[in-house]
Amino acid sequence: MDELSQHLECLKLCSGEAEDEKQIFQSLSVILLALDEDIEKSSKLLIERDILPALAKILTANSACTEKAAHVLAELAKNGDIQEHLIKLDVIASLVRILTDYPENDPLVRVCLLALSNLADLDSAKEALSKTSIARQLVKQLKRAENHERVEIIIEVLQALAENDALKLQLVDASVQETLCEIIQRLQDSFQAEDMCTMKSSSDVMVSLLLGDESMQKLFDNGNGIVYKNVATWLTSRHTLLQMTGALATANFARNDSNCVRMVQLGVVHQLLDLLEQHVENGDVAVQHAALSALRNLAIPVMNKVQMLKEGVADRIQMLLRSEMPPVQFKLLGTLRMLTDGQADTAMILGQDSRMLTRLVQWCETKDHVGVRGEANRLLASLLRYSKSQDVVKAVHQAKGLKHLVTMTTSEHAIMQNEALIALAIASAINLELVEEEFKESELVSILHNILEDESMGPEVKYNSLGLLCSLLDSDVLRRDMELVNMKQTLEKMCAHINSNVVKQANTVLQILTSSSPHSGHFFA
């Protein structure tokens, strides 16, 4: 350390404009050796001796020592305790200026890139970089990079920058996507480890750029952007990682309705389904998950639901019913529910498919994955709600699915409670005689009584509970259950509820309940 201390003092004293470059170079070399031996101890000494400003000054001097100074900074930037000091000394601007002024000086470019890769994760570094031309310089360097190490260093910096919204846009404006697509295209037939690594990192940057709304929209360009034009190729690639990139890109492009409509017009739906078919048996779970996420997003616009039904998506997607992977099951159920939402035809088709209903009921009973169980119940409720069909009610009853919807009314999530209550009310309004025995066995009346008595329940849940209760009044069997729990007294309480809709519904149910005989056709609007 004594030798290091001497060189630090020398460097500090020789930091003016007329320094002896040979002495500075030697001192920087000694510092590099010391950092290599013990980076923490040496970094601490550099801070104590206030050497960082001298290093930053050398970096701006355009001297023969610039490369060595940049190398020292690259090593120092590995130390988390020293990174913010370097940012405050404005080394970011100096590093970018060097890349701009000496783009073909490979040794100098290399150490500048190393320094940037060690600093770029800091928010303060990203902020500083957003005020420079770093995006253009990195794209320029990526185009001329000829070896794996250089490409990986640049992509590592790009990945860090792509986490910042302002830098995302700058990178897209600098056409980084074109260079990344060219790299992927060049390597897509290779299975060499290095090439696979580069494809993966390039794909990761691309997906990161798509996470920003503005950058995503620029990249989509109404389906004309180079990234979207490559999606079809990636989805049909032999490489699982490129299939994943294609599916994730589609899912991210499908974050607004206009993009979704355009992509369905361009035929991406069947490309995704073809991909899913490849992975049904022992396939890649992550790819299936990403592809189903894309399909679910695409199914959000109403006009897409109709078009996707016409194209047989509901039938083709059922191939995944045999999947034993909970993440795939969860996404499949969500996709089917989105396709069913508000669509009577889809609900009619799916709601009478005995194979699907059998699988749905199995998932309603699963103990291993609460998300799968919840989505299975919600889809079952959607089939009844949107089909409003006698045949669907019979099919669900035959599959023993109604008891699961009764249980769903006790969910801790109000949205699920309401969906179950509405579905059961529709089923009982359509064919009360068919379902009343299952409702009695499931103790539905007792559950509704508890909901109405529970002061913590929201008004919408109570309103829908009263609606379901109203549709049960034509059953003598269920009326007797109402008498056993003293439902009349509970309804009288509801008539004084703070919510006017609940009061109105409670009055209606109370009037019918207290009449001498059952009335037909009771249901709520």
Side-chain angles (χ1 to χ4, degrees):
M1 275 300 168
D2 288 341
E3 184 187 4
L4 176 60
S5 298
Q6 290 173 11
H7 281 281
L8 292 180
E9 285 303 314
C10 177
L11 194 63
K12 195 172 178 183
L13 293 171
C14 298
S15 57
E17 291 184 5
E19 291 64 351
D20 181 350
E21 287 190 353
K22 186 176 179 182
Q23 180 63 57
I24 293 174
F25 192 90
Q26 186 180 357
S27 295
L28 290 170
S29 297
V30 171
I31 292 171
L32 268 177
L33 285 171
L35 289 169
D36 188 49
E37 288 176 7
D38 190 336
I39 188 169
E40 286 191 24
K41 193 171 181 181
S42 300
S43 298
K44 187 178 178 183
L45 188 59
L46 264 66
I47 293 174
E48 288 174 355
R49 299 295 179 87
D50 199 25
I51 297 300
L52 299 186
L55 284 171
K57 191 170 183 181
I58 295 168
L59 203 62
T60 64
N62 296 335
S63 69
C65 298
T66 303
E67 181 190 333
K68 189 67 75 173
H71 194 174
V72 171
L73 286 169
E75 292 300 312
L76 285 171
K78 293 177 182 177
N79 187 333
D81 295 332
I82 211 168
Q83 290 172 336
E84 288 292 353
H85 290 282
L86 296 174
I87 302 298
K88 288 174 183 174
L89 290 168
D90 204 23
V91 299
I92 292 288
S94 297
L95 292 168
V96 176
R97 180 191 56 76
I98 292 168
L99 289 177
T100 306
D101 293 348
Y102 305 100
E104 296 185 7
N105 184 333
D106 285 337
L108 185 55
V109 166
R110 179 180 176 277
V111 289
C112 286
L113 289 171
L114 285 171
L116 286 170
S117 71
N118 290 332
L119 292 171
D121 284 330
L122 274 70
D123 289 339
S124 54
K126 293 185 181 78
E127 181 66 25
L129 284 164
S130 70
K131 298 170 184 173
T132 70
S133 63
I134 188 61
R136 291 197 305 275
Q137 303 312 320
L138 288 176
V139 172
K140 187 186 296 183
Q141 289 299 327
L142 190 58
K143 284 180 177 177
R144 65 183 295 274
E146 294 182 352
N147 63 69
H148 173 74
E149 184 207 18
R150 179 65 57 86
V151 170
E152 282 302 310
I153 293 171
I154 296 168
I155 290 179
E156 186 179 334
V157 179
L158 288 171
Q159 183 64 70
L161 302 194
E163 295 170 4
N164 177 282
D165 285 342
L167 286 164
K168 275 185 176 75
L169 284 172
Q170 291 177 27
L171 289 168
V172 171
D173 288 340
S175 299
V176 71
Q177 64 276 10
E178 293 181 11
T179 307
L180 292 170
C181 286
E182 286 169 9
I183 290 171
I184 291 172
Q185 185 175 9
R186 186 173 74 245
L187 302 177
Q188 63 186 355
D189 293 325
S190 172
F191 282 87
Q192 301 237 344
E194 278 191 355
D195 294 339
M196 295 280 286
C197 180
T198 300
M199 277 195 289
K200 173 72 168 64
S201 55
S202 298
S203 299
D204 288 345
V205 173
M206 207 102 68
V207 172
S208 291
L209 293 173
L210 291 170
L211 295 177
D213 289 339
E214 286 186 69
S215 53
M216 177 274 288
Q217 207 56 44
K218 280 192 171 190
L219 289 170
F220 185 64
D221 190 23
N222 198 35
N224 297 313
I226 189 166
V227 176
Y228 186 75
K229 284 185 174 180
N230 275 278
V231 161
T233 303
W234 297 336
L235 290 175
T236 56
S237 170
R238 294 179 299 159
H239 283 292
T240 302
L241 72 89
L242 290 184
Q243 295 172 359
M244 173 72 100
T245 303
L248 288 174
T250 306
N252 278 292
F253 282 133
R255 291 209 308 273
N256 65 54
D257 285 3
S258 61
N259 289 3
C260 287
V261 171
R262 181 66 177 141
M263 283 191 284
V264 169
Q265 291 171 349
L266 292 170
V268 76
V269 169
H270 286 287
Q271 294 166 357
L272 289 166
L273 289 168
D274 290 344
L275 176 61
L276 284 167
E277 282 180 352
Q278 290 179 40
H279 290 272
V280 172
E281 301 293 343
N282 303 315
D284 188 283
V285 174
V287 170
Q288 293 178 74
H289 195 273
L292 285 167
S293 293
L295 281 173
R296 183 195 177 281
N297 288 357
L298 290 168
I300 292 173
V302 173
M303 66 186 297
N304 275 7
K305 295 183 205 295
V306 176
Q307 185 60 33
M308 289 166 79
L309 178 63
K310 284 180 183 175
E311 294 183 18
V313 172
D315 291 331
R316 284 192 69 187
I317 204 173
Q318 288 188 61
M319 62 189 159
L320 290 168
L321 286 172
R322 57 185 185 269
S323 173
E324 296 298 332
M325 300 295 179
V328 176
Q329 295 167 354
F330 179 75
K331 278 294 178 182
L332 171 64
L333 290 165
T335 304
L336 288 169
R337 188 165 61 82
M338 188 56 67
L339 282 167
T340 305
D341 187 31
Q343 301 303 303
D345 290 343
T346 307
M348 283 278 287
I349 293 168
L350 297 179
Q352 295 179 75
D353 188 314
S354 59
R355 182 172 64 102
M356 198 196 81
L357 289 175
T358 299
R359 194 67 165 130
L360 259 188
V361 170
Q362 286 175 1
W363 286 336
C364 285
E365 295 170 351
T366 185
K367 301 286 192 295
D368 298 331
H369 197 289
V370 66
V372 170
R373 186 168 69 246
E375 279 296 330
N377 277 289
R378 295 187 74 186
L379 177 55
L380 203 56
S382 290
L383 297 177
L384 289 168
R385 179 177 184 175
Y386 294 116
S387 68
K388 295 183 174 65
S389 159
Q390 176 89 250
D391 292 331
V392 173
V393 172
K394 286 180 180 177
V396 172
H397 174 262
Q398 190 171 356
K400 303 192 183 308
L402 291 172
K403 64 182 179 182
H404 296 296
L405 294 181
V406 173
T407 301
M408 185 177 164
T409 63
T410 64
S411 168
E412 60 185 17
H413 304 291
I415 189 169
M416 291 180 66
Q417 284 184 285
N418 286 318
E419 287 169 0
L421 291 165
I422 292 169
L424 292 171
I426 289 170
S428 55
I430 289 172
N431 195 335
L432 181 57
E433 186 179 352
L434 178 69
V435 301
E436 66 177 349
E437 192 58 40
E438 193 164 355
F439 285 176
K440 179 173 177 57
E441 289 175 8
S442 303
E443 300 183 353
L444 175 59
V445 170
S446 178
I447 290 171
L448 294 176
H449 178 257
N450 290 338
I451 289 173
L452 294 173
E453 286 286 344
D454 188 343
E455 293 183 3
S456 68
M457 289 291 175
E460 189 178 0
V461 173
K462 293 200 172 186
Y463 177 83
N464 287 328
S465 296
L466 289 164
L468 172 53
L469 200 60
C470 192
S471 69
L472 303 179
L473 291 172
D474 285 328
S475 165
D476 289 334
V477 171
L478 297 175
R479 272 191 175 231
R480 282 195 289 275
D481 284 353
M482 293 179 203
E483 290 171 11
L484 289 173
V485 298
N486 200 2
M487 188 68 80
K488 180 174 177 290
Q489 184 179 8
T490 300
L491 289 169
E492 287 169 349
K493 276 194 218 170
M494 288 295 99
C495 290
H497 196 275
I498 192 170
N499 183 280
S500 60
N501 289 326
V502 171
V503 170
K504 183 179 177 183
Q505 192 79 307
N507 274 313
T508 301
V509 179
L510 185 60
Q511 287 173 16
I512 299 168
L513 182 65
T514 54
S515 64
S516 58
S517 62
H519 291 251
S520 61
H522 300 301
F523 189 48
F524 63 99

